[in-house]
Amino acid sequence: MSPLIGFGLVAGFLLASAVMVVRSDNLVHSVLWLSVVLVLTAVVFILLGATFLGGIQIILYTGGVITLMLFGIMLTGKQDTVEIPNPSEGHLAGAGAALAFLVPTLSAIWATDFGPDKGLPPVTAKHIGTAVLGPHLVAFEALSVLLLAAMIGAIVLARRSDPGEGR
Amino acid sequence: MLDNPIVWAFAIGGPLITFLMGGGAVATWWERRFAGKMQTRFGPNRVGPQGILQPVADAFKMMQKEDIVPRAADRTLFNLAPIFPPFLVIASAAVIPFAATVDATGKYDPTGAVAELDIGILWVLSMAGLMVFPIWVAGWSANNKYTLLSGMRMVAQGISYEIPMVLCALIPVIYAGSLSLSDIVAYQHEHGWIALSLSPSMFVGAAAMLLFFLTSLAEANRIPFDIPEAESELIAGVMVEYTGIKFGIFMLAEYLHTIVAAALTSALFLGGPSPLFGPAGPIAGLIWMLGKTLVLFVLIYWLRWSLYRFRSDQLMDLCWKVLVPMSLLLVMLAALMVAGGFA
């Protein structure tokens, strides 16, 4: 029973934080709530026995979220106060989109027979490593090519047209 | 009784937190005395014998000071930010094995960690990664140009130096074949310390230790990498607007971070509680671990009072053009050595 209570607390707090990401008035608060959501997602992974995934989740997303925060501040123009407005518009359309996602997801979950709890062995770093470098090698390499292309694109965009200028 | 992980966590965690907090407080006094000796002046020597009670006096002073929150600050975030740095640093110390036991069959078993996690090193790195949040939030919420600049520098430095740090932390993982710090220490007890094993793999290990040590100095914002709080440019970095004990908590967290960085380096590359000679029991393990940590700790402050700080752009150049390629090369060499059977 107690694992269920723990999961309930984490999941409840996770959902509440996710709502706060959308509902918060201040952009910085929104992004900080997003970081809470991502850390709690890592906790859910750990509760499910995927400890490696949980650790990687925290390591990768902290850098990502903090970068997002910097973009949020740099792209919102000149700010004289700590309040960066983050207004929510189109509540009705948003609710419609959420419902359109919720109904099929819930019906799929209800329709699935998960069967009895088989008590899966925990997935370790070793399992993930052999899976990534074995059967899924092509996808793994394709991903790294994609990231390389994104990085070259970023460098090209950020490059000055005349290297001698401005130094 | 001690088999219960919760009882164990309290039994080990209590002394660990006491040690870290007390060590951090003593370190503030010790550093000022040490710097004084290096610069032929006295340093604090009035409160108690040799000034040893100075941290107590400082703590009382900071608690008595008025707690000021700037009117234009983001009040909630400003007050929340100082809570997290000491918490994250102490949490990351939870997986470091501080001692070891040897059973009747001679099997060496590193122990003394508050929690024996199979993802040990990942836990430390994720806690270190989260550290940029409270510092950036402190810089942002104070609504001061110096703190904001400092916070921005902190983010740039933190997420850049994290890459070579993670890569160098991978090298003991490659050698030991495990993410658990206890397994890494046990491997080093059997095969020799990774940075000092007198085998072909030692050069990779020693270079990795040097890089890891430098990058953890950057993560802990210590000279020559203390650009986020370069006092000659940014007054006191993100801490400018903090008064009294909140400022004290940030300072304490920095000292704690330095102690934990030294302990982690010694566990990953210098065998942690594994002795160079003599017995390998729990007490000897604790003494060796503390000794290695202390040597690295002194080295950090020796560097701090000997070197100048880098300029912000030099810091980024060093990371991306030297440390990242070097650590990638070291990871490749380490993997080749393990594959070739040299390690």
Side-chain angles (χ1 to χ4, degrees):
Chain A
M1 197 58 209
S2 63
L4 213 57
I5 296 172
F7 174 77
L9 279 175
V10 171
F13 197 37
L14 200 163
L15 289 177
S17 314
V19 170
M20 287 307 291
V21 175
V22 192
R23 296 298 307 166
S24 184
D25 297 336
N26 189 330
L27 188 65
V28 174
H29 292 190
S30 279
V31 182
L32 286 174
W33 279 114
L34 180 62
S35 71
V36 175
V37 170
L38 293 169
V39 169
L40 286 173
T41 314
V43 175
V44 172
F45 283 148
I46 291 168
L47 285 178
L48 290 172
T51 47
F52 179 76
L53 205 57
I56 291 291
Q57 161 93 6
I58 295 181
I59 293 180
L60 288 187
Y61 279 102
T62 45
V65 166
I66 202 101
T67 318
L68 183 69
M69 184 130 73
L70 297 190
F71 275 119
I73 289 156
M74 286 189 286
L75 292 178
T76 40
K78 189 172 172 292
Q79 294 293 340
D80 294 328
T81 65
V82 286
E83 302 293 329
I84 299 184
N86 183 25
S88 303
E89 282 166 23
H91 288 98
L92 214 62
L99 212 66
F101 180 71
L102 187 72
V103 172
T105 316
L106 276 185
S107 55
I109 290 173
W110 265 311
T112 310
D113 177 23
F114 289 103
D117 184 1
K118 294 183 209 73
L120 290 172
V123 181
T124 63
K126 206 168 198 164
H127 295 132
I128 295 175
T130 37
V132 164
L133 291 179
H136 303 294
L137 185 62
V138 176
F140 180 66
E141 289 298 326
L143 260 183
S144 58
V145 172
L146 181 73
L147 286 176
L148 184 68
M151 201 156 76
I152 293 173
I155 293 171
V156 169
L157 284 178
R159 199 179 54 169
R160 282 194 197 88
S161 48
D162 177 9
E165 188 187 324
R167 270 274 170 184
Chain B
M1 186 74 171
L2 279 176
D3 294 339
N4 185 329
I6 294 172
V7 176
W8 172 263
F10 274 100
I12 303 292
L16 178 71
I17 292 174
T18 315
F19 167 75
L20 283 177
M21 288 295 199
V26 172
T28 61
W29 162 78
W30 174 82
E31 189 203 355
R32 289 163 71 190
R33 287 290 284 178
F34 183 69
K37 295 262 190 272
M38 282 183 76
Q39 299 172 339
T40 42
R41 55 186 175 82
F42 289 114
N45 64 351
R46 289 279 173 251
V47 194
Q50 293 292 314
I52 183 83
L53 293 177
Q54 187 67 40
V56 183
D58 284 345
F60 273 112
K61 181 191 74 177
M62 282 196 266
M63 278 187 259
Q64 285 170 356
K65 283 198 170 180
E66 186 187 354
D67 176 36
I68 300 170
V69 179
R71 193 179 300 153
D74 188 327
R75 210 183 171 87
T76 324
L77 291 184
F78 186 80
N79 287 329
L80 265 179
I83 298 173
F84 287 94
F87 167 77
L88 291 172
V89 172
I90 292 173
S92 69
V95 292
I96 300 175
F98 277 92
T101 55
V102 184
D103 67 12
T105 58
K107 188 177 173 299
Y108 185 78
D109 185 23
T111 178
V114 177
E116 300 270 353
L117 298 184
D118 54 351
I119 55 158
I121 184 69
L122 269 187
W123 169 262
V124 177
L125 294 173
S126 55
M127 289 298 116
L130 285 176
M131 197 68 173
V132 291
F133 275 103
I135 297 186
W136 189 85
V137 166
W140 165 259
S141 63
N143 199 15
N144 174 316
K145 62 189 167 204
Y146 295 109
T147 62
L148 184 60
L149 264 178
S150 165
M152 292 292 190
R153 286 181 175 189
M154 175 65 209
V155 170
Q157 178 177 317
I159 60 182
S160 307
Y161 277 77
E162 208 179 355
I163 296 166
M165 185 172 145
V166 170
L167 287 172
C168 289
L170 263 183
I171 286 163
V173 174
I174 291 174
Y175 282 144
S178 167
L179 287 165
S180 153
L181 277 167
S182 298
D183 289 352
I184 291 172
V185 168
Y187 168 86
Q188 295 185 77
H189 185 71
E190 200 178 324
H191 295 87
W193 304 352
I194 284 173
L196 200 75
S197 63
L198 301 179
S199 73
S201 67
M202 177 189 137
F203 299 101
V204 176
M209 173 176 161
L210 187 71
L211 287 194
F212 183 83
F213 189 62
L214 284 180
T215 48
S216 24
L217 287 192
E219 290 280 310
N221 298 327
R222 282 294 173 219
I223 278 183
F225 304 105
D226 71 334
I227 274 298
E229 50 167 298
E231 59 266 60
S232 49
E233 302 164 25
L234 294 175
I235 314 173
V238 295
M239 300 185 271
V240 168
E241 297 284 3
Y242 283 97
T243 54
I245 197 66
K246 287 182 198 158
F247 176 81
I249 292 172
F250 270 111
M251 288 295 278
L252 184 67
E254 289 201 343
Y255 284 95
L256 294 183
H257 203 147
T258 321
I259 299 176
V260 171
L264 188 64
T265 311
S266 67
L268 278 178
F269 295 97
L270 292 176
S274 162
L276 196 57
F277 52 82
I283 303 296
L286 190 64
I287 292 171
W288 275 98
M289 180 70 190
L290 291 182
K292 289 169 191 174
T293 305
L294 199 64
V295 168
L296 290 174
F297 182 80
V298 170
L299 191 64
I300 291 173
Y301 287 97
W302 191 0
L303 282 176
R304 181 176 187 194
W305 291 96
S306 312
L307 292 177
Y308 297 99
R309 72 174 59 89
F310 287 114
R311 228 170 44 217
S312 201
D313 58 322
Q314 293 170 331
L315 207 70
M316 287 295 131
D317 272 5
L318 178 71
C319 180
W320 289 103
K321 293 181 183 165
V322 180
L323 296 181
V324 170
M326 267 179 76
S327 48
L328 280 171
L329 187 73
L330 284 175
V331 168
M332 237 163 70
L333 281 176
L336 282 177
M337 288 205 154
V338 170
F342 287 113

